[in-house]
């Protein structure tokens, strides 16, 4: 084999951001007759790759024309108290539709959902979009195209250790460790870090989030590899930060589920109680998507990671077959009386019956209307419900035992509108790029159905710009990266399949 001279780009992470950066780089190079070489580095083992991307339903805040919610920037300003980078938000708003059309052009089929029962805070005409087959189908399509390029090396079970810079501070490559424990240099003038937050690192969670963060299970298997490596490497070379480092996105999931990402969305349409059968949160405070994170945080922080949803047949008939309660793979607990339901969920029957009776007695006589903040509320309770307080009276009754799962952390590196990593003085670090959840944006709360889009969008933009800026001789990054006799067995000899042909074939 001829001596290998290096790469033009190294991408770390195989989720939405990393796969989009890699594929867009390859396509743009091909379009402009450039011979750019890229290595995609992924630490995860077979069946556990792609961070959370492979397991998410990937709900997208898009309207029927695949245009992004025009009010999202206002929501970001509201929940962040003005701290979020609004230029970045506007950039995402402008580019998200292009990203969606890109996916569609690459064979991703979108489900266009008109929502009849959940009041959406999105300005999308009661509409949102998700890929048929969820995030798994998106990653499968992207890698189906990636694997057709012979100038792309997929380096599995390879851990990013340290950024390599020249004497002036410009990126010159990445030091990695393979599964044999040995270190290798991947030489390249550009590195895109797309390897997630620090949700898989208990030390960093304790340092930034605080006490009891170790009690939070991760919502998807691939997240255990998100150990903050990208953040750590960037800080080592002087990168700035953004997002609230004590913040994280959590979701309530069905504790009985046998699948990842078994989110229980519909806390608004009944009551949620703790182990003592006491309500602890205003289930109707705001819209579903605006509150599903906050009640999960409350469950983790103050309810010892355990809570229970209770509703009746009126609600169940409205939502049968809906995504609201259908993400889990286990049917709800069902009973003809509240006491029997309590027994099935391990609660005190008398206490739960009293809580439900007190709640029902406190409900006002306003009309119940799911399509607005209806003011159907309770009064006189320790914790009142502000909207959608329909009495729980019609049998059978339904319930889910729930706990909080950690999805991603907020704090990350600071990037500009090109996905370039900025220094602590807001100057781009030459050759260093980042996209996805390792880049900081959110403060206090996460306005949902946007994380997947921003990961894909800024990954796409990074890949395109790096390819467009490529000039001269490609694949000649400052000398040999790995001795040629070792390259085949050390890096290229690994399984080149990320999804297709794995133990879980893409749907």
């Amino acid at each position: 084999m001829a001596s290998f001279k290096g790469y033009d780009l190294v991408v770390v992470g195989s989720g939405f951001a990393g796969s989009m950066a890699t594929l867009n780089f390859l396509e743009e190079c091909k379009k402009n007759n450039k011979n750019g070489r890229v290595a995609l580095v992924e630490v995860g083992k077979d069946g556990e790759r792609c961070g959370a991307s492979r397991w998410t339903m990937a709900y997208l805040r898009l309207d029927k024309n695949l245009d992004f919610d025009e009010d999202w920037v206002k929501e970001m300003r509201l929940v962040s108290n003005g701290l979020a980078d609004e230029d970045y938000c506007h950039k995402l708003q402008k580019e998200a539709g292009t990203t969606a059309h890109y996916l569609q052009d690459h064979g991703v089929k979108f489900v266009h959902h008109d929502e009849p029962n959940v009041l959406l805070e999105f300005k999308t005409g009661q509409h949102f979009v998700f890929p048929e087959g969820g995030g798994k189908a998106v990653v499968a399509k992207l890698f189906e195209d990636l694997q057709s390029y012979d100038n792309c090396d997929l380096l599995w079970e390879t851990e990013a250790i340290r950024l390599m810079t020249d004497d002036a501070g410009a990126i010159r490559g990445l030091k990695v460790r393979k599964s044999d424990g040995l270190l290798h240099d991947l030489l390249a003038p550009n590195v895109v870090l797309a390897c997630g937050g620090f949700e898989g690192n208990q030390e960093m969670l304790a340092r930034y989030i605080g006490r009891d963060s170790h009690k939070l299970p991760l919502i998807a298997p691939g997240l255990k590899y998100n150990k903050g490596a990208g953040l750590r490497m960037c800080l080592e070379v002087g990168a700035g930060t953004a997002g609230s480092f004590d913040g994280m996105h959590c979701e309530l999931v069905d504790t009985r589920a046998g699948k990842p990402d078994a989110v229980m969305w519909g806390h608004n349409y009944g009551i949620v109680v703790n182990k003592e059968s006491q309500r602890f949160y205003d289930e109707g405070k705001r819209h579903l998507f605006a509150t599903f994170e906050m009640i999960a945080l409350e469950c983790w922080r103050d309810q010892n990671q355990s809570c229970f949803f209770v509703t009746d047949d009126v609600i169940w008939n409205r939502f049968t077959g809906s995504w609201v309660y259908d993400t889990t793979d286990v049917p709800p607990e069902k009973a003809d009386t509240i006491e029997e339901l309590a027994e099935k969920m391990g609660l005190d029957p008398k206490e739960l019956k009293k809580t439900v009776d007190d709640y029902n007695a406190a409900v006002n006589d306003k009309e119940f209307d799911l399509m607005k903040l209806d003011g159907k509320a309770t009064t006189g309770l320790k914790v009142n419900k502000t909207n959608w307080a329909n009495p729980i009276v019609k049998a059978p009754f339904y319930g889910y035992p729930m706990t909080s799962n950690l999805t991603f952390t907020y704090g990350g590196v600071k990037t500009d509108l090109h996905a370039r990593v900025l220094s602590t003085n807001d100057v781009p670090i030459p050759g260093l790029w980042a996209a996805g959840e390792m880049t900081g944006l959110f403060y206090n709360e996460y306005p949902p159905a946007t994380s997947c889009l921003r990961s894909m969008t800024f990954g796409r933009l990074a890949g395109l710009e790096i390819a467009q800026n490529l000039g001269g001789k490609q694949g000649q990054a400052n000398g040999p990266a790995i001795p040629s006799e070792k390259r085949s067995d050390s890096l290229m000899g690994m399984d080149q399949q990320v999804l297709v042909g794995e133990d879980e074939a893409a749907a």
Side-chain angles (χ1 to χ4, degrees):
M1 175 182 284
S3 178
F4 180 65
K5 298 296 185 182
Y7 295 101
D8 300 287
L9 169 63
V10 173
V11 177
V12 183
S14 64
F16 290 148
S19 56
M20 284 288 278
T22 306
L23 183 56
N24 277 269
F25 171 82
L26 290 166
E27 290 175 341
E28 191 68 11
C29 283
K30 181 178 180 181
K31 174 183 173 183
N32 292 289
N33 296 313
K34 297 179 178 180
N35 297 316
R37 293 197 63 86
V38 57
L40 176 59
V41 173
E42 166 62 51
V43 68
K45 295 181 180 179
D46 189 22
E48 297 178 335
R49 295 168 186 150
C50 308
S53 302
R54 182 175 172 180
W55 287 272
T56 180
M57 285 298 296
Y59 294 138
L60 308 177
R61 205 173 179 121
L62 301 171
D63 67 13
K64 293 180 180 180
N65 299 315
L66 298 181
D67 291 327
F68 193 61
D69 175 15
E70 64 183 66
D71 275 358
W72 179 71
V73 178
K74 297 177 185 177
E75 180 78 1
M76 284 291 291
R77 185 185 308 132
L78 172 69
V79 301
S80 73
N81 295 322
L83 292 174
D85 183 341
E86 289 196 25
D87 290 337
Y88 182 102
C89 294
H90 281 294
K91 182 74 169 183
L92 175 56
Q93 185 178 55
K94 176 183 176 182
E95 295 285 346
T98 302
T99 298
H101 284 287
Y102 175 92
L103 294 176
Q104 196 166 247
D105 291 344
H106 284 71
V108 174
K109 296 179 180 179
F110 285 125
V111 176
H112 284 265
H113 180 76
D114 290 309
E115 178 48 51
N117 291 312
V118 176
L119 178 65
L120 303 179
E121 68 267 34
F122 315 159
K123 194 171 181 180
T124 55
Q126 277 295 118
H127 189 85
F128 65 87
V129 174
F130 58 94
E132 186 178 292
K136 185 176 180 180
V138 174
V139 176
K141 285 293 184 183
L142 295 177
F143 271 86
E144 183 180 322
D145 288 343
L146 270 177
Q147 290 166 326
S148 68
Y149 288 86
D150 59 9
N151 53 333
C152 174
D153 294 344
L154 305 179
L155 313 183
W156 303 133
E157 298 182 37
T158 302
E159 179 185 9
I161 299 297
R162 186 167 61 253
L163 292 165
M164 301 167 61
T165 60
D166 62 22
D167 290 342
I171 295 299
R172 58 178 292 266
L174 180 74
K175 191 171 288 290
V176 300
R177 176 178 284 118
K178 281 187 70 299
S179 57
D180 60 7
L182 298 178
L183 297 176
H184 299 275
D185 293 344
L186 303 179
L187 299 186
N190 294 284
V191 172
V192 173
L193 296 173
C195 44
F198 52 89
E199 52 272 5
N201 186 325
Q202 290 193 4
E203 185 274 331
M204 292 182 76
L205 286 174
R207 189 196 324 165
Y208 293 122
I209 306 294
R211 185 175 178 178
D212 291 337
S213 54
H214 66 279
K215 293 181 179 179
L216 282 162
L218 300 175
I219 203 165
L223 291 180
K224 69 182 181 183
Y225 298 106
N226 289 7
K227 297 183 182 294
L231 173 61
R232 173 184 54 76
M233 291 188 294
C234 285
L235 293 178
E236 289 172 350
V237 297
T241 61
S244 50
F245 274 75
D246 59 349
M248 58 183 172
H249 176 55
C250 294
E251 300 176 3
L252 290 177
V253 302
D254 183 353
T255 60
R256 308 161 305 154
K259 64 182 285 290
D261 203 45
V263 180
M264 299 308 306
W265 299 95
H267 64 278
N268 306 80
Y269 313 120
I271 61 172
V272 178
V273 301
N274 59 20
K275 286 182 178 179
E276 287 73 44
S277 299
Q278 302 301 306
R279 291 177 55 249
F280 59 89
Y281 187 84
D282 179 358
E283 303 94 342
K285 185 177 182 179
R286 286 186 69 201
H287 306 73
L288 181 155
F289 280 118
T291 55
F292 82 114
E293 173 184 66
M294 304 314 290
I295 191 172
L297 289 170
E298 183 83 8
C299 174
W300 160 69
R301 185 174 50 239
D302 296 324
Q303 305 303 326
N304 198 28
Q305 271 288 75
S306 181
C307 63
F308 305 82
F309 175 73
V310 177
T311 194
D312 71 355
D313 199 51
V314 172
I315 293 298
W316 196 252
N317 283 334
R318 288 286 293 267
F319 287 97
T320 297
S322 166
W323 59 275
V324 174
Y325 301 114
D326 211 31
T327 307
T328 179
D329 57 355
V330 183
E333 300 295 342
K334 179 180 178 182
D336 291 328
T337 66
I338 291 294
E339 293 91 336
E340 182 186 354
L341 183 65
E343 290 178 353
K344 288 187 173 184
M345 294 197 296
L347 298 173
D348 185 299
K350 291 182 179 179
E351 289 296 324
L352 184 60
K353 181 66 163 64
K354 182 179 186 305
T355 294
V356 172
D357 287 346
D358 290 348
Y359 166 81
N360 289 340
V363 174
N364 66 24
D365 60 0
K366 289 189 176 182
E367 182 182 358
F368 178 58
D369 188 348
L370 291 173
M371 284 295 98
K372 65 180 182 180
L373 297 173
D374 61 2
K376 189 167 184 61
T378 65
T379 53
L381 299 178
K382 184 177 180 180
V383 179
N384 281 307
K385 185 172 181 180
T386 308
N387 295 285
W388 307 309
N390 208 45
I392 300 172
V393 294
K394 185 178 180 182
F397 302 98
Y398 299 88
Y400 288 97
M402 304 182 295
T403 191
S404 295
N405 276 192
L406 174 54
T407 307
F408 60 84
T409 47
Y410 288 175
V413 299
K414 189 174 184 179
T415 57
D416 66 9
L417 305 188
H418 304 266
R420 298 178 299 185
V421 175
L422 300 178
S423 73
T424 53
N425 199 35
D426 290 343
V427 176
I429 297 174
L432 186 55
W433 312 70
E437 289 163 359
M438 69 156 286
T439 61
L441 176 63
F442 302 111
Y443 295 84
N444 306 319
E445 297 180 33
Y446 161 59
T450 55
S451 182
C452 297
L453 275 172
R454 91 173 181 108
S455 296
M456 291 184 280
T457 295
F458 284 94
R460 175 177 66 81
L461 294 174
L464 283 174
E465 185 158 339
I466 293 167
Q468 289 164 359
N469 291 342
L470 214 59
K473 294 183 178 180
Q474 288 83 55
Q476 304 290 318
N478 305 318
I482 300 169
S484 61
E485 67 272 16
K486 292 185 178 179
R487 180 170 175 255
S488 178
D489 56 2
S490 293
L491 293 178
M492 288 299 292
M494 290 181 281
D495 177 16
Q496 294 271 324
Q497 306 251 342
V498 64
L499 287 177
V500 180
E502 272 194 343
D503 53 347
E504 289 185 73

